[in-house]
Amino acid sequence: SGRCHPRGMTSEQARQIGRLFDTLAPEYDSVGVEFFGPIASSLVTALAPRAGERWLDMGCGRGAVLLRAAPVLGDRGLAVGTDISAGMLEACHDAVHRAGLTNVALHQDDAQAPSLPAVPGGFHAIASAAVVFFLPDPAAALSAWLPLAAPGGRLGITTFAELDPRW
């Protein structure tokens, strides 16, 4: 139970982070903060979902990305959301149910060290909105996500950072 994550974060510390987000889940993206929707929309647009694709949303939270991508993926597609927080997943499940989406699966998992089983053929797109800056070793996490991708798959992340003029 003291399994270490990169840079020394233990499983107990990961569980503490999960519990923090469990507490925040009921109101996380609905307290007057207007950037979650536009960030999710921009990420989905950049990754350009197509009918029938398989998508993975690492750190799906309440479903801002999933709720935008899943309808485009359609009945033959699959949208999988993971989050370390059971509370966030519960809120996401409720939103998915209200939207009538049947192509979404949710799993509690740690984005830093995912244990999600591989999907045959991999995911066509892996999305992660406003998650990587929470991780103790973002580069190691992204490396751990790559084996989950389909050949030629797309990876899209959003994060908070200083504006770089090269962008």
Side-chain angles (χ1 to χ4, degrees):
S1 168
R3 184 181 82 146
C4 278
H5 292 264
R7 293 203 183 153
M9 186 168 87
T10 66
S11 294
E12 178 55 30
Q13 288 167 319
R15 279 191 292 280
Q16 289 173 354
I17 292 169
R19 286 192 297 270
L20 169 65
F21 279 96
D22 288 346
T23 302
L24 298 172
E27 298 175 344
Y28 184 68
D29 58 0
S30 59
V31 290
V33 178
E34 301 296 328
F35 56 80
F36 288 105
I39 288 172
S41 292
S42 294
L43 182 56
V44 171
T45 297
L47 287 173
R50 296 178 207 114
E53 286 189 326
R54 295 173 303 277
W55 269 51
L56 174 60
D57 184 2
M58 294 297 266
C60 66
R62 294 169 47 105
V65 169
L66 285 179
L67 293 169
R68 288 164 170 79
V72 179
L73 303 176
D75 292 338
R76 295 184 337 158
L78 174 65
V80 175
T82 70
D83 204 284
I84 197 167
S85 165
M88 288 291 194
L89 289 172
E90 183 178 330
C92 186
H93 176 269
D94 292 348
V96 165
H97 180 74
R98 281 191 307 276
L101 297 169
T102 58
N103 62 343
V104 175
L106 300 173
H107 299 278
Q108 190 167 4
D109 203 5
D110 182 349
Q112 179 64 55
S115 60
L116 184 70
V119 170
F123 290 99
H124 296 102
I126 299 174
S128 186
V131 171
V132 297
F133 61 89
F134 286 113
L135 303 176
D137 189 345
L142 293 171
S143 293
W145 302 355
L146 293 179
L148 301 170
R154 304 176 307 281
L155 171 65
I157 64 168
T158 64
T159 191
F160 297 106
E162 268 187 54
L163 184 57
D164 186 322
R166 295 174 293 178
W167 300 344

